[in-house]
């Protein structure tokens, strides 16, 4: 029964944020204007800059920023107790993530769709731009290299998910063509969802596996190469052809998944078996502060969202006022996924008693996606009567498709960054879309196989840096938005306060990890962590200098 209270209070808080707080920020602080000509209309090249229906764009934005992170982070962080996890997800969504995502969309749209790294030059200065883009590229490299591994692992362990995952691409291509020909969106959405779930059902009878070795490479390594070839092609296609419809269909799939999970809570009224505050943590467990705030990123606030907001989403914004719907409501969608994840891994659907729960969560890092799929499938079976096997396939496909859309967008965003470097440093070859894409994919594969050997898991080596690096990037994005507001003589407290909180937590986490890597003798991570920490300090100092100079002449 306690799970119902968690759901009701959490959703009520996020809806209040959407109807009240986001409306205030949009109208009084960002002052979104319907008459402003967005880059999608100003450039409109039919490939990257395309005016897009706000519902379709919401689907792209939400599924691109979500990935598996709003599942993985909360499913791990609940180890410290479900109360701190729920509080950070709910308040983080309302006061951090929504403002961050909507603000990045607004700032980018006001600077011709530039990425947050590139527009930081206009707002702060050239030195900041160079530093900012280093962190952005590093985060994208981590995300793309690791999500390739995540999807490949899922394909190997869940062969039932392979057919529906690739079928979703076929469905998206067909829907993209029909939308381009002005077919009605609602029936296309319904048909797309039906076909997608039919493929999920078919997938349970059509498991697809690669041979254990192909030309000396394991099946997982082969899947990684196939996925990056696909991502390279997908990143070069016009956004309306694959990216938008695929993300939109995945967004609708998420709504169905959330309906099943939340409905199951109200039908079965499950009890919570996880502790509100876990006092029986393992001896080597790090402190909840600051680690909670970098473990749960997506679902509370995430720097990767700023990359997507200012990378692909801002180039498709039909009206500036759509930034509230796409950005803030996208964050609410992600927060709702994080909230139901906490419920799924905290209740009797996963563990019948507190003792069993502690057996599953024996240490920090236990549980994660497997706990979500197990707990969520049992929850759906208890609430709706669907078989655990079918429910598990639905949730596994949902995780794979989210990771896939994030990887699609991530490679495209990497291409944007490389092309922007070509513009900034006048390197003609890097301005070319195909060359930039090859460089993007090449760096990911170099990391995957250069650092990871024939397994292709090299991205996992630097993945431990993602938590603190990602949140430092979020604070840097909020800082750029704050400086922009100060220059416009508008209140910046609504972005400065979240920025200061996030940078303190992320910086402390980075320091803790730096010590941890040094003691473990992992000098690669020591070096990369030190670079990110130094860059963040330099950006903060540069921004403070700009604010002081601007205040002095007012």
């Amino acid at each position: 029964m306690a799970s119902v209270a968690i759901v009701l209070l959490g959703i009520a808080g996020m809806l209040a944020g959407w109807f009240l707080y986001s409306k205030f920020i949009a109208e009084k602080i960002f002052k979104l204007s319907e008459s402003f000509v967005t880059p999608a209309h100003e450039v409109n090249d039919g490939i990257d800059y395309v005016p897009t229906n706000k519902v379709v764009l919401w689907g792209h934005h939400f599924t691109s920023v979500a990935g598996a992170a709003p599942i993985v982070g909360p499913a791990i962080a609940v180890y410290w107790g479900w109360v701190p996890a729920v509080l950070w997800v709910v308040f983080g969504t309302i006061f951090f993530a929504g403002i961050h995502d909507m603000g990045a969309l607004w700032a980018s749209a006001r600077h011709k769709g530039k990425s947050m790294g590139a527009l930081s030059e206009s707002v702060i200065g050239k030195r900041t731009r160079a530093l900012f883009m280093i962190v952005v590229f590093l985060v994208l490299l981590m995300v793309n290299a690791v999500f390739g591994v995540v999807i490949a692992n899922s394909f190997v362990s869940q062969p039932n998910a392979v057919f529906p995952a690739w079928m979703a691409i076929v469905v998206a291509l067909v829907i993209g063509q029909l939308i381009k020909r002005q077919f009605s969106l609602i029936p296309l959405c319904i048909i797309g969802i039906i076909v997608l779930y039919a493929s999920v059902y078919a997938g349970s009878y059509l498991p697809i596996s690669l041979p254990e070795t192909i030309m000396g490479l394991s099946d997982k390594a082969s899947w990684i190469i196939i996925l990056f070839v696909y991502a390279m092609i997908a990143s070069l296609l016009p956004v309306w052809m694959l990216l938008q419809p695929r993300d939109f269909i995945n967004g609708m799939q998420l709504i169905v998944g959330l309906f099943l999970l939340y409905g199951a809570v109200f039908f079965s009224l499950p009890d919570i078996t996880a502790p509100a505050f876990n006092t029986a943590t393992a001896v080597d467990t790090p402190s909840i502060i600051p680690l909670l705030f970098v473990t749960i990123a997506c679902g509370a606030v995430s720097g990767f969202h700023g990359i997507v907001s200012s990378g692909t989403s801002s180039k498709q914004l039909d009206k500036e006022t759509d930034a509230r719907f796409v950005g803030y409501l996208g964050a609410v969608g992600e927060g709702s996924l994080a909230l139901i994840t906490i419920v799924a891994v905290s209740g009797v659907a996963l563990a019948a008693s507190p003792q069993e729960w502690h057996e599953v969560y024996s240490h920090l890092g236990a549980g994660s996606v497997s706990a979500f799929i197990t707990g969520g499938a049992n929850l759906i079976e208890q609430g709706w009567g669907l078989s655990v096997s079918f429910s598990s396939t639905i949730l596994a496909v949902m995780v794979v498709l989210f990771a896939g859309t994030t990887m699609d967008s991530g490679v495209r965003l990497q291409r944007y960054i490389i092309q922007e470097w070509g513009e900034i440093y006048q390197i003609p070859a890097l301005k070319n879309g195909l060359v930039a894409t090859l460089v993007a994919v090449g760096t990911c594969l170099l990391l995957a196989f250069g650092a990871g050997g024939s397994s292709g898991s090299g991205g996992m080596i630097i993945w431990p840096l993602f938590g603190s690096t990602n949140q430092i990037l979020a604070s840097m994005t909020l800082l750029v938005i704050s400086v922009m507001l100060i220059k416009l003589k508008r209140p910046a407290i609504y972005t400065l306060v979240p920025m200061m909180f996030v940078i303190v937590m992320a910086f402390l986490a980075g320091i803790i990890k730096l010590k941890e890597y040094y003691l473990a003798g992992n000098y690669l991570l020591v070096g990369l962590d030190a670079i990110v920490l130094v860059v963040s300090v330099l950006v903060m100092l540069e921004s403070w200098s700009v604010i002081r100079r601007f205040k002095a002449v007012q």
Side-chain angles (χ1 to χ4, degrees):
M1 187 67 182
S3 58
V4 176
I6 295 172
V7 165
L8 289 176
L9 291 173
I11 293 299
M14 285 187 266
L15 287 178
W18 161 246
F19 286 110
L20 301 174
Y21 192 60
S22 74
K23 189 172 186 292
F24 165 73
I25 297 295
E27 294 179 356
K28 305 299 182 182
I29 307 301
F30 295 147
K31 298 184 180 180
L32 304 181
S33 171
E34 195 162 309
S35 62
F36 176 75
V37 179
T38 63
H41 288 282
E42 186 178 359
V43 179
N44 196 357
D45 61 3
I47 299 176
D48 298 319
Y49 293 81
V50 180
T52 303
N53 177 287
K54 67 180 181 180
V55 179
V56 175
L57 183 55
W58 173 86
H60 154 70
H61 178 81
F62 170 67
T63 53
S64 293
V65 301
I71 295 171
V72 175
I76 291 175
V78 76
Y79 179 72
W80 283 297
W82 63 263
V83 168
V86 167
L87 289 176
W88 176 228
V89 164
V90 174
F91 287 102
T93 295
I94 297 170
F95 298 107
F96 292 73
I99 304 305
H100 173 277
D101 292 16
M102 176 169 56
L105 265 172
W106 164 71
S108 178
R110 285 282 168 167
H111 290 82
K112 301 185 182 296
K114 289 182 179 179
S115 71
M116 194 56 63
L119 73 84
S120 64
E121 176 183 359
S122 305
V123 178
I124 301 175
K126 287 185 178 180
R127 285 178 295 188
T128 299
R129 176 202 66 200
L131 296 169
F132 207 115
M133 292 180 78
I134 290 172
V135 179
V136 169
F137 188 82
L138 185 58
V139 167
L140 285 172
L141 187 63
M142 292 179 189
V143 169
N144 292 336
V146 170
F147 272 42
V149 177
V150 169
I151 300 170
N153 285 340
S154 298
F155 281 170
V156 172
S157 62
Q158 296 275 350
N160 290 347
V162 175
F163 177 74
W166 291 104
M167 190 63 190
I169 297 170
V170 176
V171 173
L173 286 168
V174 173
I175 288 179
Q177 295 294 330
L178 294 177
I179 290 177
K180 188 71 173 177
R181 288 163 174 75
Q182 306 300 315
F183 277 69
S184 177
L185 189 62
I186 294 177
L188 287 180
C189 172
I190 295 172
I191 294 170
I193 290 295
I194 291 173
V195 173
L196 182 61
Y197 277 93
S199 72
V200 171
Y201 180 77
S204 61
Y205 295 97
L206 293 171
I208 298 174
S209 301
L210 293 178
E212 289 188 9
T213 57
I214 300 176
M215 298 178 65
L217 293 176
S218 67
D219 50 356
K220 185 179 76 172
S222 299
W223 273 126
I224 291 172
I225 293 174
I226 292 170
L227 288 164
F228 272 108
V229 170
Y230 157 73
M232 180 180 70
I233 296 170
S235 71
L236 290 169
L237 293 176
V239 290
W240 61 266
M241 186 178 292
L242 177 59
L243 188 69
Q244 287 178 353
R246 177 178 177 177
D247 291 355
F248 178 66
I249 287 297
N250 287 346
M252 296 303 102
Q253 181 219 9
L254 171 75
I255 291 175
V256 173
L258 289 177
F259 176 76
L260 290 173
L261 289 167
Y262 276 100
V265 170
F266 288 103
F267 288 148
S268 62
L269 306 177
D271 287 324
I272 296 296
T273 54
F277 297 92
N278 190 4
T279 57
T281 57
V283 176
D284 59 347
T285 303
S287 170
I288 185 174
I289 297 175
L291 269 300
L292 171 72
F293 303 101
V294 298
T295 303
I296 300 180
C298 298
V301 64
S302 166
F304 181 71
H305 292 202
I307 303 175
V308 175
S309 295
S310 64
T312 55
S313 299
S314 65
K315 295 176 175 63
Q316 302 170 59
L317 203 62
D318 184 29
K319 299 176 182 177
E320 189 179 56
T321 48
D322 292 347
R324 177 180 173 232
F325 186 92
V326 175
Y328 198 97
L329 197 59
V332 169
E334 193 164 35
S336 65
L337 176 57
L339 183 66
I340 198 64
T341 295
I342 294 170
V343 172
V345 301
S346 299
V348 294
L350 177 68
S353 67
Q355 291 76 19
E356 287 186 18
W357 187 89
H358 279 288
E359 289 176 9
V360 175
Y361 277 88
S362 59
H363 60 277
L364 183 65
S368 192
V369 173
S370 61
F372 167 74
I373 292 176
T374 301
N378 289 333
L379 188 61
I380 292 173
E381 191 270 338
Q382 293 166 13
W384 295 94
L386 297 176
S387 71
V388 171
S389 175
F390 182 60
S391 301
S392 297
T393 302
I394 290 176
L395 297 179
V397 169
M398 187 169 76
V399 171
V400 167
L401 291 183
F402 280 175
T405 52
T406 300
M407 187 177 172
D408 285 2
S409 296
V411 172
R412 187 179 290 262
L413 290 164
Q414 253 189 306
R415 190 245 294 173
Y416 291 162
I417 294 293
I418 293 166
Q419 285 182 294
E420 285 179 347
W421 275 335
E423 293 284 347
I424 293 168
Y425 300 110
Q426 290 302 302
I427 305 174
L430 294 184
K431 298 179 186 179
N432 181 275
L434 177 59
V435 173
T437 302
L438 288 172
V439 172
V441 171
T443 55
C444 291
L445 290 175
L446 182 63
L447 174 62
F449 290 95
S454 60
S455 70
S457 301
M460 293 298 184
I461 294 174
I462 66 170
W463 182 248
L465 277 174
F466 179 76
S468 56
T469 304
N470 183 52
Q471 298 304 72
I472 284 173
L473 180 59
S475 67
M476 291 164 69
T477 298
L478 287 166
L479 181 61
V480 170
I481 298 168
S482 300
V483 174
M484 192 170 163
L485 288 171
I486 290 169
K487 287 187 173 183
L488 291 170
K489 299 181 180 180
R490 298 178 193 172
I493 189 171
Y494 306 100
T495 51
L496 278 175
V497 171
M499 181 275 294
M500 288 187 288
F501 179 85
V502 173
I503 190 60
V504 169
M505 293 299 113
F507 198 83
L508 288 175
I511 294 294
I512 291 171
K513 288 293 183 180
L514 189 69
K515 180 182 177 181
E516 180 183 310
Y517 302 147
Y518 178 77
L519 293 176
N522 194 330
Y523 299 113
L524 172 62
L525 292 184
V526 169
L528 290 174
D529 195 1
I531 289 171
V532 172
L533 291 174
V534 170
V535 165
S536 65
V537 170
L538 292 175
V539 169
M540 296 295 160
L541 292 174
E542 186 76 12
S543 302
W544 176 243
S545 176
V546 170
I547 293 172
R548 287 184 62 188
R549 289 199 306 269
F550 187 77
K551 289 287 188 181
V553 298
Q554 281 187 317

